[in-house]
Amino acid sequence: MSDDGIHAVGAYAPRLRVAAEEFADAWGSFEASGIEEKAVPEADEDALTMGWEAARRALAAGDADASDVDWLGFSTTTPPMAEEDPTVRLGSFLGVAEDSTRQSFTGSTRAGTRALFAALDAETDGLALVVAADCPQSEPSDAHEHAAGAGAAAVLVGPDAPAPITDRAEHAEPYPGTRFRRAGSEEVEGIDVTSYDREAFRETLAGAVDAVDVPEDPDAAAVQAPDGGLPYRAAGAMGLDNGTIHTCATVQDLGDTAAASVPLSLANALADGHETVLGAGYGSGGGADAFVVEATDDVPAELALDGGTDLTYAEYLRRRGDVTSGEPNGGAAYVSVPTWKRSIPQRHRLVAGRCPECGSLAFPPEGACPDCRSLVEFEPVELPDTGEVEAVTAVSRGGEPPEFAVQQQKSGEYGVAIAAFEADGDSVSMPLQVVGAETSPDVGDAVTTVIRRIYKQEGVIRYGRKARVADDE
């Protein structure tokens, strides 16, 4: 039996939630069975920022550093840019070495399990990090939109693992049209023939599960969940009972998380200490993957899946961008792409500089030393993620730079804090947008920096650090 398997897991879901009742009040019914509420990305969140949240938790749980990662995989059906490799920026956010292998997986809800299989096949001496993150959407009245949620999971894979993957297989059946996104569109569709959809899902998954050696009565089953009903309709064909699926399901609380669906349920199962877990991923077409995890020891896990803020349906539409006026022209905070690129270490990982003449810290590490005024080549120093608030204010409607107009239309007034970050007895201060807090932080409060979208300019999404109240972690 191979010991290649799972060393640690991490997971993240946005704290914003919208309840099924909000959809029922707006549309007269809720078309996603089995879902009680679903997670909603904030205006500055997307698949890449959620993936970072999950990945950093998996690394922390596994007591691993990004420098230990030799292979990085990212899977999603909703990449922030249609033609750009998201693993490059994800690796930069985390601090993965530039020569590490990177692979992206997209175009199917099966992408999460495809990435896991690729990691197991990777020829690497170190660890592989598999990240799956998604936030699908559709027309507001469509059943796919009623189900569409958001979330991310990350799995640290390698030899001598506490949770070996003992068997895996894939299976294909030609069932086109159950779920698709047209070229150039952001909205999921389907032919919506209920009996056909159910047959495709059931038969394709059953074919993959039949090809693996499943232990009798597994503790949990992480099954693809387009809604809260379909996995249970396929349970019998896979030789499972409903309770085995429900024990680690996340769809009822997060909604349809597409490529992250199976990895999220897998992370949930291992975090709860289940020893034998069946995984079963499905993608329209149809194709399926199945795998078996047989844990011999506890798997370290760090999950952040709890909700925090309930949205009305109108607030939900604002977060989707359905009631915003679009991107403004121009802007006072214009920074060209080449200039932005030069500051990526500072924006992605808070890399400050230490003056070799006087030892003072500078952020950003450019120009003359702020203390001794020497023109020097600063020594890089990565600041800690946690700092202390020195001052705070709020930016109301009309007071924001044009680049942040759409963000404010979606999420309203936002806070800005000046926070101090200490390294080796010295500190530097910087301004940061505040995210996630229902109330503004006070002077003296601890804040943790997180990766979020800053704004889009010249068609390119800019990412960088913002601050979240440490208690909201």
Side-chain angles (χ1 to χ4, degrees):
M1 180 171 60
S2 170
D3 63 354
D4 285 351
I6 299 169
H7 282 269
V9 293
Y12 170 81
R15 291 175 60 82
L16 298 181
R17 303 297 163 91
V18 60
E21 289 82 355
E22 291 291 331
F23 279 80
D25 290 343
W27 293 100
S29 64
F30 183 63
E31 303 299 329
S33 64
I35 295 177
E36 300 169 11
E37 64 177 10
K38 61 178 193 169
V40 181
E42 188 47 279
D44 56 359
E45 290 188 291
D46 59 22
L48 201 51
T49 67
M50 292 190 296
W52 173 82
E53 292 272 14
R56 73 184 183 93
R57 286 174 167 83
L59 289 169
D63 195 24
D65 190 80
S67 60
D68 300 323
V69 176
D70 288 346
W71 188 96
L72 175 63
F74 181 68
S75 55
T76 184
T77 66
T78 54
M81 304 290 285
E83 189 176 331
E84 186 175 271
D85 184 354
T87 62
V88 177
R89 287 208 252 195
L90 180 59
S92 178
F93 298 162
L94 295 168
V96 173
E98 293 178 353
D99 60 353
S100 293
T101 300
R102 290 165 165 80
Q103 290 189 31
S104 298
F105 303 81
T106 189
S108 171
T109 57
R110 187 185 172 194
T113 50
R114 291 282 79 204
L116 178 60
F117 283 19
L120 292 167
D121 290 333
E123 296 182 0
T124 173
D125 295 327
L127 293 171
L129 179 60
V130 179
V131 183
D134 234 331
C135 44
Q137 66 178 51
S138 187
E139 287 282 354
S141 61
D142 194 282
H144 292 100
E145 176 60 28
H146 287 209
V155 181
L156 206 55
V157 174
D160 303 318
I165 294 177
T166 57
D167 201 6
R168 54 189 169 111
E170 56 186 280
H171 182 76
E173 293 276 356
Y175 278 103
T178 59
R179 178 190 183 113
F180 54 88
R181 194 153 54 86
R182 298 173 193 264
S185 172
E186 295 183 351
E187 295 172 345
V188 173
E189 301 177 58
I191 60 172
D192 298 327
V193 179
T194 303
S195 59
Y196 177 78
D197 290 348
R198 290 176 180 173
E199 179 182 311
F201 189 80
R202 181 179 61 251
E203 297 301 321
T204 311
L205 278 175
V209 173
D210 284 347
V212 296
D213 185 12
V214 183
E216 186 175 354
D217 299 324
D219 298 328
V223 179
Q224 192 78 42
D227 58 33
L230 206 51
Y232 303 103
R233 292 184 177 276
M238 292 186 288
L240 303 170
D241 59 54
N242 288 352
T244 307
I245 297 173
H246 184 72
T247 192
C248 65
T250 60
V251 65
Q252 67 274 5
D253 300 317
L254 304 182
D256 171 21
T257 51
S261 177
V262 173
L264 273 164
S265 292
L266 174 64
N268 212 21
L270 294 175
D272 285 343
H274 294 299
E275 294 179 356
T276 58
V277 183
L278 170 68
Y282 170 80
S284 177
D289 300 307
F291 60 93
V292 176
V293 178
E294 296 188 73
T296 56
D297 203 348
D298 291 339
V299 176
E302 186 176 325
L303 312 187
L305 299 178
D306 293 336
T309 303
D310 294 328
L311 301 176
T312 65
Y313 186 71
E315 290 170 331
Y316 168 71
L317 290 180
R318 284 179 60 192
R319 293 316 194 280
R320 272 179 46 103
D322 289 343
V323 290
T324 64
S325 59
E327 300 285 346
N329 293 321
Y334 173 77
V335 180
S336 70
V337 171
T339 299
W340 185 277
K341 197 272 180 189
R342 289 196 295 272
S343 64
I344 279 176
Q346 292 81 59
R347 298 183 186 275
H348 288 182
R349 297 187 304 282
L350 292 185
V351 176
R354 187 174 298 283
C355 175
E357 297 292 331
C358 69
S360 296
L361 283 179
F363 189 90
E366 56 188 31
C369 172
D371 282 357
C372 70
R373 302 300 176 184
S374 299
L375 288 172
V376 296
E377 183 175 341
F378 291 100
E379 300 166 356
V381 175
E382 195 162 324
L383 298 174
D385 289 337
T386 302
E388 183 177 306
V389 174
E390 297 180 318
V392 66
T393 188
V395 179
S396 301
R397 182 71 182 270
E400 79 284 354
E403 289 82 359
F404 301 108
V406 172
Q407 175 189 321
Q408 194 167 83
Q409 289 170 23
K410 289 182 176 182
S411 57
E413 179 180 279
Y414 60 86
V416 175
I418 295 176
F421 295 83
E422 184 175 318
D424 300 326
D426 202 356
S427 68
V428 289
S429 300
M430 67 188 74
L432 297 160
Q433 273 192 26
V434 178
V435 301
E438 295 185 11
T439 57
S440 295
D442 294 323
V443 172
D445 284 351
V447 290
T448 299
T449 62
V450 295
I451 289 286
R452 292 291 180 94
R453 292 168 72 120
I454 305 298
Y455 52 72
K456 183 188 290 187
Q457 212 165 63
E458 299 174 313
V460 179
I461 301 170
R462 316 293 179 89
Y463 293 90
R465 295 279 177 155
K466 295 185 181 182
R468 180 164 59 203
V469 176
D471 290 343
D472 287 346
E473 279 288 284

